[in-house]
């Protein structure tokens, strides 16, 4: 699952064509992410984020 499937915030922003700072707004609005422990970095699965964007934009 590591490698091309798990992306950090900069990589997910690049893949989605959004700014790095806008990605934080998505997180605040419920964008799915994964994290190891409370202090760990957030990682994203591109397909999960894309599906979330499609569903959340329909509301």
């Amino acid at each position: 699952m590591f490698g091309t499937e798990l992306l950090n915030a900069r990589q997910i922003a690049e893949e989605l064509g959004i700014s790095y700072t806008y990605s934080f707004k998505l997180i605040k609005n419920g964008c799915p992410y994964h994290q190891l422990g409370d202090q760990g970095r957030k990682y994203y699965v591109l397909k999960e984020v894309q599906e979330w964007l499609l569903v959340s934009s329909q509301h």
Side-chain angles (χ1 to χ4, degrees), residues 1 9 20 23 27 32-33 36 51 53:
M1 182 154 204
Y20 174 66
S23 66
I27 295 166
Y33 64 87
L36 297 175
E51 289 174 10
L53 285 169

Side-chain angles (χ1 to χ4, degrees), residues 16 26 31-32 48-58:
L16 295 174
L26 295 180
C31 180
E48 288 179 358
V49 174
Q50 289 171 330
E51 289 174 10
W52 176 80
L53 285 169
L54 288 173
V55 171
S56 66
S57 68
Q58 294 175 2

